[in-house]
Amino acid sequence: MENKLNQINHYNANDIQILEGLEAVRRRPGMYVGGTDIKALHHLIYEVVDNSIDEALAGVCNRISVTIHEDDSVTVEDNGRGIPVDIHPERGISALQVVMTVLHAGGKFGGGSYKVSGGLHGVGVSAVNALSEWCEVTVRREGKIYFQRYERGIPQAPVKQIGTYKGEETGTSTTFKFDREIFKGDVNYRFDTLVTRFREMAFVARGVTIMLKDEREDREMTFHFEGGIASFVRYLNRNKEVLHEPIYGEKEIDNIDIEFVVQYTDSYAESVYTFANTINTIDGGTHLTGLRTAVTRSINDYARKVGLLKDSDPNFSGDDTREGMTAIVSIKHPDPQFESQTKVKLMNPEVQTYVQQVVGDTFSTFLEENPAAGKAIIQKCLTSARARDAAKKARDLVIRKSALESMTLPGKLADCSERDPSKTELYIVEGDSAGGSAKQGRDRHFQAILPLRGKILNTERARLDKILDNREVKSLISALGTSVGDTFDISGLRYNRIIIMTDADVDGAHIRTLLLTFFFRYMQPLIEEGHLFIAQPPLYRISSRNQIYYAYSDTEKDELVAKLGGMNKVSISRYKGLGEMNPEQLWETTMNPENRTLLQVTIEDAAEADRTFDMLMGSQVPPRRRFIQTHAKEVRNLDI
Ligand code: 0RA
């Protein structure tokens, strides 16, 4: 009797504290889950799953399932130890209730039995509970099944035993329905967003099975990767041409688990993922610095040793060794230090030393033992270094030139009279004759024309670093006014729209690819900020009864002919090039903002051009075959 009274007293005292805590979360969700938008909504699921992942990292859980139900509630179930349910000595209530209702109690509760802990914002499941219209937890522990229900964080009854079970399997099942009073508007979970996150988690927490089921649309996906991050790198490179097998290393130093994998491809991008206790540290940190330093150092040492870098050559820079590198570094630390609450950057200084040591040893040994791979990696770095060097020279030249000639614009540029760059357009036109038509046809108030001599670019067929040295490209750079590469500065941009206008034939496609590749590699922000376009000249000119019509595709032509041809004579001519159009026609069909269609170039378009460029310009592998193979591979979510 006395015992029971005691419990009630404690409960009341705690009650007030708990209510205040939960209320704080509901009043300022931003402080706890980063807001009330769709991103924060997904954080609710991650927060719960992170607790299950903690169990997996502790080696006591290998299965996690996440189910989105038709009413938008979500169940996260694991086969971990189960949240303890015994009475918490200080608070006099079930530990389960403490975990679910007291901020910061979650994973850390229980005397730091964890080696590591993920917990995204460290606030634990109680914040999720507070932001849920309702939440129910079922725990299986020591043969008994326990249950508690909450509404807007408030327990509806004490934790209750609701049954027993046979067998060994303990675990926790949490179902919550996010509160539409908090998450307003038409927000909901996105299957694909969750897929990406859980795939990543399954790679990093090797051997754990994560199941995702969406009952709203009857979709399901399961992730399990025995290969861990080595599988991750294969997955990331699935559509790329790899230069060697993944280089993998793992070591525990000073109670910190370090795991990394590196694989070079023939692409230009760097693709690096870093994790600390399975949290994707998108801003990197000391683990990333350690990895990069070690890779650059190992490559330089090896290149000198085998004579691919001569005494007179400078070392490869970090930028040189980064191009084409796909890498993952994942550490598990008992006491991770993050730059901020949102945990996107790892700060522990010792991690840099340890990662550098593990990566350096493994990478150097790999290069020694795999000379063919070593040579391929170094060739790749040499190409990157050369391109960077050429870009710098081109840039210096542009800068020097503009300093000397006080910003003289290239002679071939027909500039516009408008001086406000937000109102102007630059047409990059293939060939001098089309350039002539465009100059006459344009609205010279806001449209500028820069003719490029197609032949030069096309016949040169050189590497991009050569192309940067090309006279035509140099005039393009100075016309744009932004500089290139590292010193690119969008504030110098002299035109709001840059429009590539080429013939609709093979040569035109080549020049377009080349220009897109150039913009992709040296002026990326220009694409990202939506300044780059492709003009759409018509393919056919159709005349009937003294009227002229234009068709921009074969389908359009067929439709027009069918419509007009019923009663009249129709004559069709196919435009072979822009030069065949007179200035008025070019204006009407392709340049007049009232009539024209422009295709805006996305970064994906440009990246695609970049890949095509490599293929067209040729490398050692037969390009056609490579191109087809690359595009034939399928995405799979099994170990690849
Ligand atoms: C506190 C202590 C222990 C486990 C947990 C919490 C725990 C929390 C969650 C949340 C979702 N699934 C979970 N599984 C476990 C350690 C318990 C022990 O030592 O037996």
Side-chain angles (χ1 to χ4, degrees):
M1 183 69 186
E2 194 196 316
N3 203 356
K4 199 174 168 195
L5 256 179
N6 224 346
Q7 214 174 307
I8 289 166
N9 282 339
H10 272 290
Y11 188 86
N12 286 340
N14 276 306
D15 215 20
I16 296 160
Q17 228 184 340
I18 287 166
L19 282 174
E20 279 172 356
L22 297 174
E23 197 43 45
V25 180
R26 290 178 61 82
R27 243 193 342 261
R28 306 184 64 184
M31 291 260 304
Y32 301 89
V33 293
T36 56
D37 56 2
I38 179 153
K39 203 169 159 198
L41 192 65
H42 288 86
H43 273 171
L44 299 185
I45 301 188
Y46 303 152
E47 188 68 57
V48 180
V49 173
D50 279 349
N51 286 284
S52 303
I53 286 282
D54 281 352
E55 290 289 285
L57 295 184
V60 292
C61 164
N62 62 8
R63 199 160 35 77
I64 300 167
S65 75
V66 179
T67 309
I68 310 166
H69 303 291
E70 278 182 63
D71 67 351
D72 303 332
S73 65
V74 173
T75 299
V76 178
E77 188 167 7
D78 67 51
N79 64 349
R81 286 167 293 193
I83 303 178
V85 291
D86 44 325
I87 301 298
H88 191 277
E90 283 143 45
R91 298 175 184 265
I93 50 172
S94 167
L96 169 60
Q97 184 174 326
V98 176
V99 168
M100 293 306 296
T101 57
V102 180
L103 296 180
H104 304 286
K108 297 282 194 286
F109 171 78
S113 56
Y114 288 142
K115 190 179 166 201
V116 289
S117 176
L120 192 63
H121 290 91
V123 290
V125 278
S126 56
V128 179
N129 190 19
L131 300 173
S132 295
E133 183 190 319
W134 56 265
C135 174
E136 294 179 348
V137 181
T138 308
V139 170
R140 295 153 70 93
R141 248 180 108 92
E142 293 155 9
K144 295 179 179 132
I145 306 174
Y146 301 90
F147 174 86
Q148 191 168 38
R149 178 182 165 94
Y150 319 83
E151 288 178 13
R152 304 205 155 89
I154 299 162
Q156 300 300 296
V159 174
K160 186 174 148 197
Q161 187 192 327
I162 56 165
T164 57
Y165 66 94
K166 296 237 176 316
E168 295 290 292
E169 191 147 295
T170 55
T172 306
S173 168
T174 310
T175 303
F176 65 95
K177 181 172 178 180
F178 72 88
D179 192 348
R180 288 213 178 260
E181 279 181 15
I182 304 278
F183 299 90
K184 297 208 172 73
D186 194 23
V187 289
N188 216 322
Y189 301 113
R190 283 193 54 230
F191 188 75
D192 293 341
T193 305
L194 296 169
V195 161
T196 306
R197 176 71 188 132
F198 294 145
R199 178 189 291 129
E200 220 171 81
M201 280 186 148
F203 281 127
V204 178
R206 172 207 303 242
V208 177
T209 302
I210 304 181
M211 290 173 281
L212 173 63
K213 194 169 167 194
D214 190 343
E215 292 178 348
R216 301 170 305 179
E217 298 172 54
D218 202 19
R219 277 199 287 185
E220 198 173 333
M221 234 166 167
T222 298
F223 304 102
H224 174 101
F225 303 101
E226 282 301 327
I229 59 171
S231 300
F232 196 177
V233 94
R234 287 199 190 90
Y235 170 77
L236 292 170
N237 287 343
R238 68 196 179 281
N239 290 326
K240 295 179 181 163
E241 192 68 24
V242 300
L243 303 186
H244 57 85
E245 282 300 300
I247 305 166
Y248 172 84
E250 182 192 25
K251 199 173 181 183
E252 183 182 316
I253 306 176
D254 204 7
N255 219 18
I256 303 165
D257 275 340
I258 291 154
E259 208 187 358
F260 83 96
V261 59
V262 173
Q263 187 177 39
Y264 276 88
T265 71
D266 67 353
S267 93
Y268 284 85
E270 180 196 33
S271 179
V272 179
Y273 287 74
T274 67
F275 297 89
N277 297 355
T278 77
I279 295 166
N280 186 343
T281 35
I282 51 172
D283 286 347
T286 48
H287 45 358
L288 175 61
T289 311
L291 176 106
R292 280 183 173 157
T293 310
V295 166
T296 305
R297 191 170 295 171
S298 301
I299 290 178
N300 274 315
D301 289 351
Y302 180 74
R304 295 227 177 263
K305 194 169 156 204
V306 297
L308 286 165
L309 273 185
K310 305 272 180 294
D311 287 346
S312 56
D313 294 328
N315 266 343
F316 292 125
S317 70
D319 288 329
D320 298 335
T321 59
R322 227 160 275 171
E323 274 188 31
M325 179 174 83
T326 305
I328 296 146
V329 56
S330 167
I331 65 121
K332 294 182 184 131
H333 198 293
D335 182 25
Q337 305 295 316
F338 295 100
E339 188 180 55
S340 66
Q341 268 288 85
T342 42
K343 294 194 181 182
V344 285
K345 189 169 184 183
L346 183 74
M347 302 303 278
N348 302 63
E350 75 283 10
V351 169
Q352 182 174 331
T353 319
Y354 296 157
V355 170
Q356 202 168 312
Q357 185 183 325
V358 176
V359 175
D361 290 351
T362 317
F363 204 91
S364 297
T365 309
F366 175 89
L367 293 174
E368 296 284 342
E369 290 173 357
N370 300 274
K375 197 166 166 225
I377 293 172
I378 288 163
Q379 286 303 346
K380 173 77 182 150
C381 297
L382 279 169
T383 309
S384 311
R386 242 183 258 132
R388 204 173 312 287
D389 195 42
K392 187 175 176 310
K393 286 199 183 111
R395 200 161 56 226
D396 291 351
L397 206 111
V398 172
I399 294 166
R400 200 166 51 239
K401 210 172 139 197
S402 59
L404 280 175
E405 303 167 25
S406 66
M407 248 336 259
T408 15
L409 292 164
K412 296 202 303 167
L413 174 76
D415 212 357
C416 51
S417 52
E418 174 64 59
R419 283 285 153 256
D420 176 356
S422 71
K423 298 189 178 127
T424 59
E425 300 181 341
L426 176 70
Y427 274 85
I428 304 171
V429 186
E430 166 191 5
D432 282 335
S433 82
S437 285
K439 276 182 196 175
Q440 288 174 51
R442 69 177 167 147
D443 180 337
R444 62 181 61 238
H445 173 63
F446 72 100
Q447 292 179 321
I449 309 291
L450 182 70
L452 291 186
R453 263 188 297 156
K455 278 270 159 44
I456 296 185
L457 289 175
N458 218 22
T459 50
E460 211 159 15
R461 288 244 172 162
R463 286 193 319 263
L464 198 68
D465 51 331
K466 285 252 177 65
I467 282 149
L468 271 172
D469 209 29
N470 178 293
R471 197 155 47 91
E472 306 287 317
V473 176
K474 280 181 194 154
S475 28
L476 173 60
I477 297 169
S478 55
L480 290 174
T482 55
S483 180
V484 283
D486 299 341
T487 56
F488 179 88
D489 177 9
I490 197 115
S491 68
L493 187 62
R494 300 182 58 251
Y495 306 94
N496 182 37
R497 293 201 179 96
I498 294 115
I499 302 161
I500 301 173
M501 187 158 75
T502 56
D503 287 338
D505 59 8
V506 178
D507 279 355
H510 279 183
I511 292 168
R512 191 169 58 238
T513 301
L514 190 142
L515 285 169
L516 288 177
T517 306
F518 165 77
F519 282 114
F520 178 71
R521 292 193 197 163
Y522 296 108
M523 297 190 173
Q524 227 174 77
L526 195 124
I527 306 173
E528 284 160 356
E529 295 182 25
H531 293 290
L532 191 60
F533 297 85
I534 295 172
Q536 300 287 287
L539 291 181
Y540 299 97
R541 176 175 186 271
I542 298 161
S543 59
S544 170
R545 300 186 69 197
N546 288 332
Q547 279 269 33
I548 295 174
Y549 304 87
Y550 301 100
Y552 293 80
S553 68
D554 284 313
T555 329
E556 222 175 45
K557 176 205 65 178
D558 295 342
E559 281 169 10
L560 257 171
V561 171
K563 207 170 91 188
L564 300 166
M567 39 204 162
N568 307 296
K569 186 174 142 18
V570 179
S571 95
I572 309 169
S573 58
R574 189 187 166 99
Y575 283 116
K576 291 198 202 65
L578 297 164
E580 287 182 10
M581 269 185 262
N582 65 36
E584 293 73 36
Q585 289 169 339
L586 196 57
W587 164 255
E588 274 314 311
T589 59
T590 319
M591 298 178 74
N592 180 355
E594 307 267 309
N595 304 339
R596 74 183 177 194
T597 317
L598 294 181
L599 284 185
Q600 190 166 42
V601 177
T602 66
I603 208 77
E604 287 77 27
D605 297 333
E608 182 61 38
D610 182 274
R611 285 191 285 275
T612 311
F613 176 87
D614 282 343
M615 188 199 76
L616 293 173
M617 299 302 142
S619 52
Q620 292 88 333
V621 196
R624 285 255 330 134
R625 219 189 76 222
R626 212 180 89 206
F627 191 62
I628 291 162
Q629 277 177 353
T630 309
H631 286 71
K633 277 178 196 155
E634 277 212 31
V635 182
R636 284 179 303 156
N637 287 304
L638 304 167
D639 261 0
I640 322 168

